[in-house]
Amino acid sequence: SPAAPEFIREEAEVHLFVPGNSSQAVRELLQTHGVTHAVMLANTKELIEMQTRNASTDPRSGMSYYEKYHSLEDIYHWLNKTAMENPDRIKVILIGSSFEKRPLYVLKLSAISTTNTNKKAIWLDCGIHAREWIAPAFCLWFVQYSLSFYESNRDIATILDNMDVYVLPVMNPDGYKYTWTTDRMWRKNRSTREDSRCAGVDLNRNFDANWCTEGASHHPCSEIFCGEFPESEPEASAVASFLRRNKEAVALYVTIHSYSQMLLFPYSCTRDLTENHAELLSMAKEAAQKIKRYYRNNYKYGAGAETIYLAPGGSDDWAYKLGIKYSFTFELQDRGRYGFLLPPSEIPRACNEALIALKTIALRVVERIPPPA
């Protein structure tokens, strides 16, 4: 962190993932240049092994299943099982496939009986960046929570009575699979091109929102490579096509990332403010305050470009420009202690923080849905 060297700023913390055999050379360089530094995690290999060892193939009843990270195969299995067990509340929609031809499944989550003919929808995607494992974990957590507490939790009932929820648990299945088999710190998708030895496009630079301007790269080896053209990647194209088809219904767009503990909204692709900046700011502020009150954890909030850095081609900006005026990016735990290697023991708290933020914002959006004519 940050995602690419060009985002490094004076007096700002930088987090490096250093191969063991280079650690001495890196230390000497830092010392030579008088850069203050400390080892945050010495045992990354053990942490990664602990995360993958936890995976089980059978979705057990109870929350313990949701307090672990799961392989892509497990998540597909969970998806089918959850849909089969809840046929009146969950519908599985295939919206496309990845570069390596893995299916992109969206779960449509609905209340069982509702007479509301004016239903809007929430879009929730997780795992656009492969290494951010807490993101798919949250999508699973959210679905399970909604199914379990619809009858007993007034907030989730209010949300589902007024809005369907489209959930894409893993937007980047090829990259996610690769983080389980080959490189835990992989970020991009796994598309290849003839003119480069480097694989992958940053899917969150591949949408048509000031595409590939400052904050993205035309170099295929960069972590923030924007691709050949907007929506060049099948994963971004599938999501964009689905949202274009459903743009009248989708009132709230939320994309889940890690790490840094932030609630962001457009724009990230420009330093300009959105028309409804004050409204988005007040929603994010209320959500951050709720997290602080209930979980004693601090989340920064604000427009992406002014809160972190310029990041063109992001899905949240693109959704906003499409007409989805409530669009947010949640950056979940933590602030760098474990970074992308957040231990499974931290999943419940991280997910509960995201859940309270999502509920807070969704309830505000429900209030703004105009009554049927």
Side-chain angles (χ1 to χ4, degrees):
S1 170
E6 47 264 55
F7 296 135
I8 294 172
R9 300 281 176 264
E10 266 189 81
E11 304 298 330
E13 233 178 57
V14 175
H15 301 156
L16 300 173
F17 184 63
V18 181
N21 57 6
S22 308
S23 63
Q24 194 51 41
V26 170
R27 274 178 207 218
E28 284 168 10
L29 264 172
L30 291 169
Q31 276 160 358
T32 305
H33 292 275
V35 178
T36 336
H37 59 279
V39 175
M40 293 167 90
L41 285 176
N43 60 335
T44 50
K45 191 164 178 280
E46 288 85 354
L47 269 171
I48 292 166
E49 281 168 5
M50 180 183 75
Q51 291 182 343
T52 49
R53 200 170 48 229
N54 257 337
S56 67
T57 49
D58 179 31
R60 309 243 191 288
S61 56
M63 284 311 275
S64 63
Y65 180 84
Y66 298 92
E67 294 171 1
K68 299 179 174 121
Y69 294 115
H70 294 283
S71 67
L72 185 66
E73 293 74 17
D74 267 8
I75 292 172
Y76 283 148
H77 178 63
W78 167 87
L79 223 134
N80 290 323
K81 189 172 188 297
T82 305
M84 279 170 57
E85 288 173 355
N86 302 276
D88 48 355
R89 302 173 69 175
I90 284 189
K91 183 178 157 199
V92 178
I93 305 165
L94 177 66
I95 65 161
S97 57
S98 66
F99 180 82
E100 292 175 348
K101 299 292 176 266
R102 292 187 175 88
L104 296 168
Y105 288 123
V106 166
L107 287 184
K108 183 185 183 185
L109 183 62
S110 308
I112 295 176
S113 57
T114 175
T115 52
N116 189 346
T117 52
N118 188 42
K119 278 193 106 170
K120 294 294 185 186
I122 299 170
W123 169 274
L124 174 67
D125 67 61
C126 297
I128 190 170
H129 289 143
R131 61 195 177 192
E132 298 168 9
W133 284 13
I134 189 62
F138 174 70
C139 265
L140 270 59
W141 184 281
F142 176 79
V143 171
Q144 167 65 11
Y145 177 89
S146 301
L147 292 170
S148 302
F149 292 102
Y150 173 73
E151 305 293 343
S152 59
N153 182 285
R154 195 178 69 218
D155 289 348
I156 206 72
T158 300
I159 292 163
L160 288 175
D161 286 344
N162 289 282
M163 300 210 273
D164 295 326
V165 189
Y166 294 106
V167 182
L168 175 56
V170 189
M171 186 170 160
N172 178 7
D174 302 346
Y176 187 69
K177 171 82 177 171
Y178 193 73
T179 61
W180 279 75
T181 59
T182 312
D183 177 1
R184 176 63 183 82
M185 289 296 178
W186 188 258
R187 167 184 169 93
K188 301 186 285 182
N189 76 350
R190 293 294 304 160
S191 67
T192 53
R193 51 199 43 74
E194 285 172 12
D195 61 352
S196 176
R197 62 186 168 80
C198 293
V201 166
D202 181 348
L203 294 175
N204 208 38
R205 298 291 188 282
N206 192 233
F207 286 80
D208 196 2
N210 291 13
W211 178 79
C212 223
T213 49
E214 184 189 341
S217 171
H218 283 289
H219 298 294
C221 299
S222 168
E223 291 279 42
I224 51 172
F225 175 46
C226 58
E228 300 290 324
F229 51 86
E231 292 176 42
S232 60
E233 303 312 290
E235 301 88 350
S237 175
V239 168
S241 298
F242 181 85
L243 288 168
R244 274 192 286 264
R245 286 194 304 274
N246 293 279
K247 69 176 185 180
E248 301 308 321
V250 178
L252 171 60
Y253 176 95
V254 180
T255 179
I256 305 294
H257 291 246
S258 75
Y259 61 94
S260 66
Q261 295 177 200
M262 292 183 186
L263 307 177
L264 306 172
F265 50 83
Y267 291 115
S268 291
C269 65
T270 169
R271 293 193 175 86
D272 296 345
L273 300 184
T274 60
E275 268 174 51
N276 61 338
H277 175 85
E279 195 180 14
L280 295 173
L281 184 67
S282 91
M283 287 175 161
K285 180 181 181 180
E286 185 188 1
Q289 286 171 337
K290 289 259 181 80
I291 293 172
K292 174 116 173 119
R293 185 185 315 153
Y294 291 105
Y295 299 105
R296 295 269 165 268
N297 214 352
N298 292 311
Y299 277 62
K300 282 178 77 174
Y301 55 89
E306 63 183 33
T307 310
I308 34 176
Y309 42 62
L310 278 168
S315 64
D316 55 349
D317 282 358
W318 177 84
Y320 184 86
K321 285 170 178 269
L322 182 69
I324 303 168
K325 292 305 178 194
Y326 303 105
S327 178
F328 293 87
T329 294
F330 292 2
E331 293 275 0
L332 306 196
Q333 285 198 27
D334 56 10
R335 287 233 172 107
R337 169 79 182 88
Y338 293 102
F340 302 117
L341 303 181
L342 194 70
S345 58
E346 302 297 321
I347 292 173
R349 185 167 153 183
C351 287
N352 278 324
E353 289 170 357
L355 181 66
I356 202 163
L358 180 53
K359 287 200 298 186
T360 301
I361 290 168
L363 287 167
R364 290 294 177 219
V365 174
V366 167
E367 288 172 5
R368 289 160 167 81
I369 294 173

